[in-house]
Amino acid sequence: LERQLARKVTARLQRLRLATRNQKHKRKLVRSLVLSLFAHIGPWTTVPKKFLHQWRLAIESTVVGYVATGRSRFLVWAGLLGPHLDPDFALDSGVLWHELWKIRRALTSCAQMSNFCDFIAEEHVSPASRRLEDVLAKWGWKWVSVTKFRTPFGTLDLAFDGENAIKTAMKLAWEYQLWLAEPRADANHQDGLFPTFQGHSKPLKTACIGDPELFSAALGAGKDSRVLAK
């Protein structure tokens, strides 16, 4: 089943490269035609890392047109592509949305608001799912109560925080995870801190469209003085 899925994902991405040159359209097509093939299984299982790595490269090649040699994966994904094109994020975020769905279902079963307040005040007595434990460990989150999580950037409460707050928390967790995996990052970084690159995103997207050399440099893959001297 995994190999069949991998072949289908790869085949669709290859066809999308030829479907349109518009990067905005490519993004929408990747999300609707590719990530939808497997995102729904996230709350229960995941995909082997070798496939996720292959799909990331294929998505980057499909949307951007090529994979810049020596580029910073943190910059290209956090500054340009974003979490909603990352197959790993599609699987992991589904775990939290599933938890939110379970909380909303519990809310509808409460006869009074006081019953729901008692429910969310309880500490967890049932064990978390293996997938939820894996995602929380990956993101550096701790489960405080039925609806509450302590994150490196503050407390998130699924019962009271809106969807935008939940999306922001997941995006920050994804970006921080990318930064920790960045080979050029300082190994002695402080917990919860990573570069602010929002001002870098717009020039990066502009360079991606018009100037491959500038785009390569913006991704930290520009030619150094020794190469240019030749």
Side-chain angles (χ1 to χ4, degrees), residues 18-60:
L18 305 175
T20 178
R21 292 184 178 181
N22 188 297
Q23 193 177 115
K24 185 177 180 180
H25 292 166
K26 283 184 178 181
R27 289 171 176 268
K28 290 182 178 180
L29 291 173
V30 168
R31 293 182 64 179
S32 61
L33 299 179
V34 179
L35 298 185
S36 61
L37 289 173
F38 55 86
H40 60 282
I41 68 174
W44 299 278
T45 186
T46 187
V47 176
K49 290 182 179 180
K50 65 175 182 179
F51 291 138
L52 292 174
H53 176 67
Q54 292 170 3
W55 295 348
R56 281 195 197 98
L57 292 176
I59 290 172
E60 186 176 339

Side-chain angles (χ1 to χ4, degrees), residues 147-219:
T147 65
K148 196 175 295 184
F149 301 90
R150 185 179 297 113
T151 81
F153 308 98
T155 300
L156 178 69
D157 193 331
L158 298 184
F160 294 102
D161 288 326
E163 289 194 7
N164 285 337
I166 297 172
K167 289 177 180 178
T168 299
M170 291 193 295
K171 182 181 178 182
L172 286 173
W174 174 80
E175 288 174 353
Y176 188 48
Q177 181 192 0
L178 274 181
W179 177 243
L180 293 180
E182 175 61 45
R184 306 177 197 187
D186 185 0
N188 298 318
H189 62 85
Q190 297 183 38
D191 290 340
L193 299 181
F194 58 94
T196 299
F197 55 87
Q198 279 73 15
H200 188 69
S201 296
K202 188 173 181 180
L204 187 59
K205 292 175 182 177
T206 304
C208 170
I209 297 172
D211 191 337
E213 287 291 333
L214 181 59
F215 177 61
S216 180
L219 292 179

Side-chain angles (χ1 to χ4, degrees), residues 63-140:
V63 176
V64 178
Y66 61 97
V67 176
T69 303
R71 91 280 189 262
S72 164
R73 189 164 72 93
F74 173 79
L75 287 176
V76 74
W77 279 94
L80 180 63
L81 298 178
H84 300 298
L85 292 183
D86 185 359
D88 196 19
F89 182 80
L91 292 165
D92 291 346
S93 60
V95 177
L96 209 63
W97 291 126
H98 185 65
E99 287 298 311
L100 180 62
W101 172 81
K102 290 195 294 185
I103 291 169
R104 287 175 173 173
R105 186 180 62 173
L107 175 60
T108 59
S109 66
C110 292
Q112 298 177 348
M113 189 61 189
S114 59
N115 299 132
F116 182 68
C117 291
D118 293 339
F119 166 74
I120 63 176
E122 294 177 358
E123 294 186 355
H124 271 286
V125 292
S126 59
S129 69
R130 180 65 181 271
R131 277 291 292 145
L132 180 58
E133 288 180 346
D134 291 343
V135 171
L136 295 182
K138 182 191 295 185
W139 288 353

